[in-house]
Amino acid sequence: MKKIFRFLVVITFFTCFSLNVYAEEDTTCNYSSKATLQKSAYNVDANYTIKKDENGSFYFEISVYNITDDIYAVVTNDINGEEVQIYNNITTNNNYSFNIYDTTTIVNYVVHVRAIKYGCNDELRKIRITKPRYNDLSEIAICKNDIMLDYSYCKTWVNKYFSETREEVIEKINNQYNKFVTEPTTECILCKASVENSKKIRKQLAMKIAIVIGLIVAIILDILIIILLTNRLKRYDI
């Protein structure tokens, strides 16, 4: 009985010792742990999507993807001190989204991906997102023209504030539109060159035909003259 009791004590001791060793290894933030955390951080992604609500108003959906249970994310911005902390237990399938209804302010977000397991608390990665602002000048009639859609002052969403006054920007838009309308495009220049080249070829061909016709007429006249002279000579001989 004593032997059995000793045996159980030894087994219990070694089991507890093994568990303690495992726990210590699991919280040392060693190379292997950091490699696992870096792999998780590498898979994290973030972006924004522009959407419309039921009233037709724009808003932004900021999304952070692939937050597993060994990492978490803190989303900060350059406008105020507000933070959004994202842990795996508040995600849906490891993904999390929140909405921003301010469409007039440019906001720079930073997603800080940090470790939460293995005794590590390192910041593993930073992801930067710039939320653009709505450009109401894109609504003016000229900006809706196809040739103006890519013009910087006519884009619907922009990542900068215009330093010019509203009147100055509108003047630039009008000038750019007039420039597009009055200046021939590359395609038109090529078309014009092709037409000019065709006219030149036709002119050269007409000149060649005229020369050939002139030579034929001259030969015919020479033959007629020769025939007339021959007939006169025959008369004189008679």
Side-chain angles (χ1 to χ4, degrees), residues 95-233:
N95 304 324
Y96 183 82
S97 299
F98 59 94
N99 298 331
I100 301 295
Y101 294 92
D102 176 10
T103 59
T104 61
T105 307
I106 298 171
V107 183
N108 295 304
Y109 290 97
V110 179
V111 180
H112 305 265
V113 183
R114 297 171 180 169
I116 200 175
K117 288 183 70 175
Y118 310 120
C120 300
N121 56 7
D122 303 0
E123 180 161 290
L124 305 169
R125 188 181 177 199
K126 289 182 181 179
I127 304 172
R128 302 181 187 277
I129 307 171
T130 297
K131 181 188 77 64
R133 69 174 181 86
Y134 181 73
N135 175 26
D136 62 325
L137 289 172
S138 64
E139 293 295 327
I140 66 176
I142 290 179
C143 281
K144 291 184 178 296
N145 194 294
D146 288 344
I147 61 175
M148 297 292 290
L149 294 178
D150 290 331
Y151 185 51
S152 59
Y153 291 105
C154 283
K155 290 182 177 180
T156 305
W157 302 99
V158 292
N159 287 331
K160 67 176 182 178
Y161 297 104
F162 303 141
S163 58
E164 305 90 340
T165 65
R166 186 179 181 84
E167 291 72 22
E168 289 173 338
V169 173
I170 291 175
E171 183 180 358
K172 284 188 174 184
I173 291 172
N174 287 325
N175 291 339
Q176 185 66 25
Y177 177 75
N178 292 330
K179 184 178 179 181
F180 278 140
V181 171
T182 57
E183 285 188 355
T185 61
T186 304
E187 183 178 357
C188 291
I189 293 172
L190 292 175
C191 290
K192 186 176 180 180
S194 179
V195 170
E196 293 295 331
N197 190 44
S198 298
K199 287 181 179 179
K200 185 177 180 181
I201 292 173
R202 286 198 295 270
K203 185 176 181 180
Q204 291 175 347
L205 182 60
M207 290 179 63
K208 289 179 180 179
I209 292 173
I211 292 172
V212 171
I213 292 173
L215 289 173
I216 292 173
V217 171
I219 292 171
I220 292 173
L221 289 174
D222 288 342
I223 293 172
L224 290 175
I225 291 171
I226 292 171
I227 292 173
L228 289 173
L229 290 174
T230 302
N231 289 336
R232 286 184 179 183
L233 290 173

Side-chain angles (χ1 to χ4, degrees), residues 71-86:
I71 56 176
Y72 72 105
V74 178
V75 183
T76 60
N77 66 78
D78 62 347
I79 300 299
N80 53 49
E82 294 181 359
E83 294 185 352
V84 178
Q85 295 191 4
I86 306 170

